[in-house]
Amino acid sequence: MASLTGAASRLLPAARFTVSRTTARLYFSSSSVSPLKCPKSSPLLSHVFRYQKQSLVRVSSGSFSTVASAKSAASDPDQLKSAREDIKELLNTKFCHPILVRLGWHDAGTYNKNIEEWPQRGGANGSLRFEVELKHGANAGLVNALKLLQPIKDKYSAVTYADLFQLASATAIEEAGGPKIPMKYGRMDVSVPEQCPEEGRLPDAGPPSPAAHLRDVFYRMGLNDKEIVALSGAHTLGRSRPERSGWGKRETKYTKDGPGAPGGQSWTVQWLKFDNSYFKDIKERRDNDLLVLPTDAVLFEDPSFKEYAEKYAVDQDAFFKDYAEAHACLSNLGAKFDPPQGFSI
């Protein structure tokens, strides 16, 4: 999606996030939170990384795992429920729906179906909490999402990062007026930065051949054309900030006053409301203040994609149904569950 958006060294210079137009990964590339200038020098981020080290417990196998309760070796269901309520309050006060969706998608979207071993296969395993992965070009600005969620993680230590990221993403969709996502939980976390995936597994916003690129990336995850188009529809939320992605205007009449930090260019007029307006606006293209990326435009140009995009533009119920299924599928990609079947809350 231009929403999973988001990108060959795994260690980028720490001075500042910069992303060129040719390497931009979009998908919800803005938040209402002011960007941190330099993750490495940020006192908050230093606290985040210190906490991650302190919260790891040595087990008999010699590996590391996060603290968990007896109910689940991954996450405690009661703490997950409480964390969900705290996330709702966060959404109501910070208007951070888009960046929380993007965080969950980018943690899961590194999955490679051709690799069997966990965690080498990538996916929803909490690896995006580590500095080395946060510095990937596609993840520019996502340190702000971690900044928002870290106090909740501190409060609920028996919830894994992998579950917390996906819980936040699904809750953001639902609280913005979107469909109920049939989520399951119990994802286990990777334990060390060396388990992060290499850079380059997430989609570009402006590749030379948008349709081929989207298929290359999402087919690698095991997703199909319908799921690609449905997930793209989540661009109804959020803004693109050119200082992060290289795409979009610095502000428009729809973003100059916020809510949250002003600026950026949105795909839709009401960019904190989840509905099917993304498809309507791309099809009509009547407003120059609304963003259309090459990976957006191709949804109405490629014959297979167009079939679903046309359908979703006129049938919001169909879009919601297909989106909920695709989001749930994405959130499970690559995850290792304990218990193996996962659990619902």
Side-chain angles (χ1 to χ4, degrees):
M1 328 125 247
S3 295
L4 206 149
T5 27
S9 162
R10 293 172 58 189
L11 290 171
L12 299 182
R16 183 184 298 268
F17 283 126
T18 59
V19 188
S20 69
R21 179 176 294 272
T22 56
T23 60
R25 275 75 170 172
L26 263 253
Y27 302 111
F28 307 111
S29 51
S30 71
S31 79
S32 58
V33 185
S34 298
L36 300 180
K37 296 290 184 182
C38 176
K40 205 161 189 176
S41 63
S42 162
L44 172 74
L45 195 58
S46 297
H47 164 72
V48 167
F49 295 138
R50 280 201 306 273
Y51 175 80
Q52 290 168 1
K53 294 177 182 177
Q54 293 166 358
S55 67
L56 299 175
V57 179
R58 179 80 66 176
V59 296
S60 58
S61 66
S63 61
F64 291 88
S65 70
T66 52
V67 177
S69 75
K71 293 183 180 179
S72 166
S75 292
D76 178 84
D78 291 333
Q79 287 203 13
L80 275 168
K81 292 177 184 177
S82 297
R84 180 169 58 190
E85 296 308 306
D86 286 13
I87 290 168
K88 290 179 181 179
E89 179 62 25
L90 184 68
L91 292 165
N92 288 333
T93 57
K94 297 294 185 180
F95 310 106
C96 53
H97 305 66
I99 202 171
L100 294 187
V101 174
R102 181 172 169 239
L103 179 71
W105 282 24
H106 282 217
D107 195 46
T110 59
Y111 175 63
N112 186 339
K113 69 177 183 179
N114 300 312
I115 301 174
E116 293 184 6
E117 297 80 10
W118 184 92
Q120 292 92 327
R121 65 195 183 208
N125 58 28
S127 64
L128 190 45
R129 74 189 189 273
F130 289 115
E131 186 176 22
V132 63
E133 190 170 346
L134 283 168
K135 287 183 178 180
H136 290 180
N139 296 327
L142 283 179
V143 64
N144 295 301
L146 185 61
K147 171 184 174 181
L148 290 167
L149 290 180
Q150 189 62 50
I152 298 176
K153 181 67 175 78
D154 293 350
K155 184 177 179 180
Y156 303 107
S157 60
V159 172
T160 62
Y161 281 97
D163 272 347
L164 182 62
F165 293 168
Q166 300 308 321
L167 174 67
S169 182
T171 303
I173 293 291
E174 294 168 6
E175 291 297 295
K180 175 73 175 176
I181 312 296
M183 299 290 290
K184 68 176 182 177
Y185 298 96
R187 296 169 188 79
M188 297 180 67
D189 278 342
V190 298
S191 54
V192 292
E194 289 73 19
Q195 293 173 312
C196 291
E198 73 281 2
E199 188 167 7
R201 293 193 185 187
L202 296 171
D204 291 333
S209 301
H213 175 71
L214 287 175
R215 290 191 172 99
D216 286 345
V217 172
F218 288 100
Y219 285 11
R220 186 207 69 219
M221 300 182 209
L223 302 178
N224 58 34
D225 286 359
K226 180 174 77 171
E227 290 162 329
I228 291 172
V229 179
L231 289 171
S232 295
H235 268 157
T236 192
L237 297 179
R239 300 167 283 176
S240 171
R241 293 187 180 274
E243 66 271 21
R244 296 183 188 172
S245 67
W247 292 86
K249 299 178 180 180
R250 292 202 172 274
E251 71 173 27
T252 70
K253 59 179 176 287
Y254 304 121
T255 66
K256 63 184 180 67
D257 297 321
Q265 185 175 13
S266 60
W267 284 265
T268 62
V269 174
Q270 293 181 288
W271 48 268
L272 286 176
K273 179 182 179 181
F274 193 96
D275 57 20
N276 68 335
S277 59
Y278 166 80
F279 297 104
K280 295 178 180 179
D281 291 336
I282 292 176
K283 183 177 181 179
E284 295 175 357
R285 295 211 202 180
R286 295 179 180 175
D287 193 334
N288 289 331
D289 268 346
L290 296 180
L291 181 63
V292 179
L293 299 170
T295 46
D296 300 318
V298 76
L299 301 183
F300 282 92
E301 296 167 355
D302 178 87
S304 178
F305 290 160
K306 185 177 180 179
E307 174 187 351
Y308 301 107
E310 292 278 6
K311 178 181 179 181
Y312 299 153
V314 298
D315 190 341
Q316 182 167 283
D317 289 342
F319 167 52
F320 274 26
K321 176 180 179 297
D322 290 348
Y323 178 84
E325 293 173 356
H327 185 123
C329 179
L330 175 66
S331 76
N332 296 335
L333 294 180
K336 183 177 182 180
F337 286 90
D338 188 358
Q341 71 277 14
F343 60 86
S344 58
I345 59 172

